[in-house]
Amino acid sequence: MNLRYSLFSILIILCFASCKTANRTKNTKTSLYKDEVFACYYHNKFNGRKTASGEVFSNSKLTAAHKTLQFDTKVKVTNIENDKSVIVEINDRGPFTKGLEIDLSKKAFDQISHDKKAGKIQVKLELVNDSKK
């Protein structure tokens, strides 16, 4: 009987903990960094290569490159045309093409793009205030 009660208690605690985590991502606090800038995405040829932070790049992760933001900074990227957004983590430097502000992984770009054939989109960038730091 005690074993069942213990397992049930653990299950309840895990349930409440997962609910708390889900609410935290919904109510993410952000501050505007840049409005109306352009984002592009990484070519697949970069898969498996090391980023400037030392991580191995994967177009299937939610990551991005920025020229000046610190590595591990979380950025909410919102497509101005359709208001879709995604949170990415900065782990590389770039883009180095004039007029581009942030280079997204293909997964991140596809989640917010209004046109899968587009090479760049106009976005708003917000810094995610991580309360754990």
Side-chain angles (χ1 to χ4, degrees):
M1 185 69 170
N2 284 339
L3 180 61
R4 280 190 216 168
Y5 178 74
S6 297
L7 290 174
F8 180 74
S9 298
I10 291 171
L11 184 62
I12 295 296
I13 290 168
L14 289 174
C15 181
F16 281 118
S18 67
C19 290
K20 185 177 179 182
T21 302
N23 288 338
R24 190 173 351 125
T25 55
K26 254 188 213 180
N27 300 323
T28 302
K29 293 185 188 260
T30 61
S31 56
L32 182 63
Y33 178 67
K34 291 206 176 174
D35 200 10
E36 297 185 17
V37 294
F38 284 99
C40 60
Y41 61 89
Y42 279 85
H43 190 279
N44 276 330
K45 71 180 182 181
F46 293 105
N47 275 321
R49 294 187 186 178
K50 281 199 175 186
T51 64
S53 69
E55 292 180 41
V56 174
F57 175 73
S58 171
N59 252 330
S60 62
K61 293 182 179 179
L62 296 175
T63 59
H66 192 272
K67 288 178 227 144
T68 59
L69 290 174
Q70 289 184 348
F71 295 138
D72 299 326
T73 299
K74 289 185 178 25
V75 180
K76 181 178 179 184
V77 183
T78 304
N79 182 335
I80 292 173
E81 189 166 317
N82 62 15
D83 209 36
K84 288 183 179 179
S85 62
V86 65
I87 295 177
V88 296
E89 189 170 301
I90 302 298
N91 71 344
D92 203 3
R93 292 290 170 231
F96 299 107
T97 303
K98 187 176 181 178
L100 297 176
E101 182 69 25
I102 193 165
D103 206 353
L104 302 172
S105 65
K106 186 70 168 128
K107 180 177 182 176
F109 189 89
D110 286 347
Q111 283 189 15
I112 63 172
S113 180
H114 56 280
D115 178 4
K116 301 299 181 203
K117 296 176 185 172
K120 66 179 183 178
I121 53 177
Q122 198 167 26
V123 297
K124 171 175 69 171
L125 302 179
E126 298 170 273
L127 301 180
V128 176
N129 300 326
D130 192 356
S131 60
K132 292 186 286 184
K133 288 185 176 180

